[in-house]
Amino acid sequence: MRWASVVVAAMALAVGGCSEQRVFTISTRPAPGNIQVDGADKGQSPVTLPLTFDSRKASFRVDAARRGYKDQSVEVTRKTDLNLVIDLKPLTRRVSFTIRPFPAKLAVNGKAVSPAPIAAYATELEFTLDASNKWTSYRISAERPGFQPVERTITWTDPDPSYTLTLEPMRKDVTITTTPSGAKLMLDDEEIGTSPLTYRGSDNKGAAFYIDPQTNQWNEYRLRAAKPGYDPVDAKISWDDAKSDFTVELKPRSKTVRVVTNPPGAVVSVDGNELLRDATGASTATLIFPPVNDKGDLKAYSATASKKTADAEWEPLTFAIGWQDGKSEYNVSLKEIKTVPVALVVAEPKRGDDGWTIARKAILTTAMKNVSEGLVKEQPVRLTTNLPKGSIIDSLAISPDGSKLIFAAIQSRGENDLRSQLLAINAEGSGGVESFSDGKSLDLQPCFTPDGKNIVFSSNRGGRRLSVWMMSAAGAPGITQLTNDDNNDVWPSIDAARHLFYQAFVDTRPDPRIFMTELGKTTRTDLTQAGGYQPRVSPEAKPDSATLLFTNVNEKTGKRELFTLRTDGGIPENITNSPDADDFDGTWNHEGTKLAFTSDRGVDEEQRHNFDIWLMDLAHPGQPTQLTTNGSWDDCPVWDPSGKWIYFRSNRGGEWGIWKIAVR
């Protein structure tokens, strides 16, 4: 404790040097205080003590001290008031304040030290002890919009009189949800997790927000929400009046598609819903592509384009519309349906436990809508029949003079109903249709005799099996049964020597046989060891020998091939030698030098193998030429006696008919 000296001066009396004693009462404000007189401790104030003044002692030094106050010294002389009060002054300290990070309004005990924000301040402050012997303190506060107020209490015992007031940003927990959930969240390029989550800042005290003094705006966080299959969504998060919940909607990708079809005007449907057309005729729709799995694979739509008019139809085309980097324009070319399905019913031999039977077989064939020749457009072709819609033609034959065509028209009302009618027309296509049978039985494969007077054919009119019959070509009454065994006899033909050739399905044999017999006799000759189909005798037959044209099956490939055989005991000769092609329906020209047959070895304009009519010059059997190229089902060829025309069955145009084409 420091002492203040009070010098009490005792004034000398008159020259005589008398001494004088004065009684002083010494107090301190505040009290109590420690009192010393000339260094001697006199106790706590107030104190009363006499002081003697003489020539040797004219003054006394009184020192007053109190904890928390500055020491005070007073000089006491004879003239000093006997009631001496010493005012003790508080301790003082120079303090300084620094405000970070930005200037703010500073207040001491609630009183602003400056009307404007400041970054630093220094002042002298008094410090004392209160009645409880505690040091007085000061409340220092700093405030700035956009920051949390900062407050600090300072006192005498603080080791450092320099103070830093740090303004803390405003803080809040930010809860982020996304629709749908599970999005990866980035905040200022830092990944913070997957939605939904609550972000509490890197220090786990809450996200920090403050007002930028440069812009006077709240700082913002850049939020990005990303999920596979969705476009990333960017948003900003700021103080927003302490708003804590933020929702981000992830929208699936979408685009407006425009489908242009060729030909124009096709109906375009997406997932079964027809699209509207714009002013240009294009089909348009706005499609949404949500992800279909966690990998973000986007939905793909199934679109179908189709068109049908009264005159034409195009194949429906199904195509996918995916996101495809936002592709919006789709050009779709439709393939015109140039074909039409046409039903064909045939009499098919089947071998079962009870032997061979003739059963109904339905086949769906393909016909070209265009009836002209496709690859050879200059080739003239003409329809000679005008039959009711849905008529089915079986095989056909032409009269030796070329004036008449006869054919079988199949009739069937169900699987167990198989009948036919023999019909004849003028070969040039004029006139009506002449009926040669009543349609109550199954009459098949008609053929004229060489003199043209009679027609031989296969029929079941005599029982459950097919046999060979003959009737007048002029329509005279009477029908003669030529075969009467327990077989199914088909494909009859007669040569000039009155030999009957036919194909027989014998119950004891798995393969069809080809027999020759002389009309009026019961004996018959099995002409081939390997059997065969569709026998046709050559027109130049002699009494003892003829050449037989027939079809047989290649056991390795299952394809049919054409063979010839001398009826006087020759060996069958394969004249097509095309194991990969199906060759059948062989027929002779009038001179017996050329053949017409059906084959699928060629292709149409769409590269499909189909049945066409082919020609073969027997002088060059290895060089057959294709006659019809339409792409429809063309078969059953017969030669016009002049050799200039071929008649054939075809489904071209969508109906079965007999057509006529010139031989090139």
Side-chain angles (χ1 to χ4, degrees), residues 100-324:
R100 296 287 185 267
F102 303 116
K105 287 187 176 182
L106 183 67
V108 177
N109 288 338
K111 183 178 180 180
V113 301
S114 170
I118 58 175
Y121 179 73
T123 188
E124 190 86 12
L125 294 180
E126 295 180 347
F127 294 90
T128 63
L129 291 170
D130 61 15
S132 301
N133 203 32
K134 293 183 179 179
W135 285 101
T136 57
S137 62
Y138 292 87
R139 181 172 53 85
I140 309 300
S141 61
E143 293 184 353
R144 179 185 179 88
F147 291 84
Q148 298 182 49
V150 59
E151 185 173 288
R152 186 165 181 180
T153 300
I154 66 173
T155 188
W156 177 261
T157 57
D158 292 341
D160 189 349
S162 297
Y163 300 91
T164 299
L165 301 177
T166 301
L167 295 170
E168 289 291 334
M170 305 296 288
R171 291 183 179 271
K172 64 179 178 179
D173 292 347
V174 177
T175 299
I176 304 170
T177 58
T178 63
T179 306
S181 61
K184 183 175 70 173
L185 301 178
M186 303 284 291
L187 207 61
D188 284 350
D189 301 325
E190 177 186 356
E191 184 174 348
I192 61 173
T194 302
S195 67
L197 64 74
T198 297
Y199 178 70
R200 304 196 70 248
S202 59
D203 54 5
N204 206 34
K205 295 180 180 179
F209 294 89
Y210 59 89
I211 292 179
D212 189 331
Q214 301 297 325
T215 63
N216 204 32
Q217 300 292 324
W218 286 96
N219 70 307
E220 296 176 329
Y221 290 93
R222 300 187 313 275
L223 172 67
R224 166 163 284 203
K227 183 178 176 70
Y230 296 87
D231 285 329
V233 175
D234 293 321
K236 292 180 180 179
I237 294 178
S238 189
W239 181 246
D240 294 327
D241 295 328
K243 174 184 174 182
S244 60
D245 293 327
F246 293 85
T247 300
V248 177
E249 183 178 358
L250 297 172
K251 294 183 178 180
R253 294 173 179 172
S254 67
K255 65 180 179 180
T256 298
V257 297
R258 185 171 181 271
V259 182
V260 179
T261 62
N262 180 26
V267 174
V268 178
S269 298
V270 173
D271 284 356
N273 299 313
E274 183 178 346
L275 304 189
L276 298 176
R277 295 190 181 95
D278 62 16
T280 67
S283 297
T284 63
T286 298
L287 302 178
I288 299 174
F289 296 84
V292 296
N293 54 35
D294 292 338
K295 296 187 296 182
D297 296 328
L298 301 184
K299 176 180 179 178
Y301 291 86
S302 176
T304 302
S306 61
K307 185 173 184 179
K308 184 177 182 179
T309 66
D311 301 322
E313 185 177 2
W314 287 260
E315 291 182 12
L317 178 64
T318 298
F319 58 100
I321 298 179
W323 176 244
Q324 297 167 304

